Amino acid sequence: MSEEEIQDKVMEELTIQQAIPYQYASDPKMMECAIHYLTEWEFRCKHPFLTTRGFVDDRRMNAFKFCIECLIEMACARQQANDRGALISYANVIDAINRNSDRCTEGGLSEFLEQTMDDFLHACEHTEITDIRKYTKSLIWSRSGFPIQTIYTFLVM
């Protein structure tokens, strides 16, 4: 399918189901399209975050893109993550996305992502991080509202 066909199909399914379907986990392009829609990717790329002086805030824009990239990876992971017996699958991640977005409408994950980005940027300034990708996935998971014992599961992915 073309990018336009993928986008049309994703928009239609999100409108009808008001949730990301589990089958998107096996099609990263569809998952990417859905998450971009829920996080207002296109709007943010055209209207980037600005500093207090009115310049593009490259640091925040990079955090925005990186957090979304990690979220897409989590939602498409083919292997379950395991930490002390707690298993996390792509279905758990999709459930968290669906629960944290406002009926899967455009920008439904914006607040969730803003909070995650704030945590990410704070951690980058104040924490020694050995694996930024795993750490970011842990932050995303901690914001998802799942029980605390599963937060660090993505650290072993």
Side-chain angles (χ1 to χ4, degrees), residues 40-51:
E40 295 185 304
W41 173 272
E42 281 188 40
F43 173 81
R44 192 48 65 195
C45 288
K46 290 178 184 172
H47 306 282
F49 296 103
L50 301 176
T51 64

Side-chain angles (χ1 to χ4, degrees), residues 15-72:
T15 301
I16 292 169
Q17 296 182 25
Q18 295 187 339
I20 294 177
Y22 294 123
Q23 69 260 24
Y24 284 14
S26 61
D27 189 338
K29 278 293 188 196
M30 292 186 85
M31 183 63 73
E32 177 182 284
C33 183
I35 291 176
H36 281 182
Y37 174 72
L38 295 174
T39 58
E40 295 185 304
W41 173 272
E42 281 188 40
F43 173 81
R44 192 48 65 195
C45 288
K46 290 178 184 172
H47 306 282
F49 296 103
L50 301 176
T51 64
T52 55
R53 293 184 175 168
F55 299 108
V56 172
D57 189 343
D58 290 326
R59 188 172 155 267
R60 193 151 184 85
M61 283 304 299
N62 289 334
F64 172 77
K65 292 174 181 179
F66 184 67
C67 287
I68 290 173
E69 181 182 315
C70 288
L71 182 58
I72 293 166

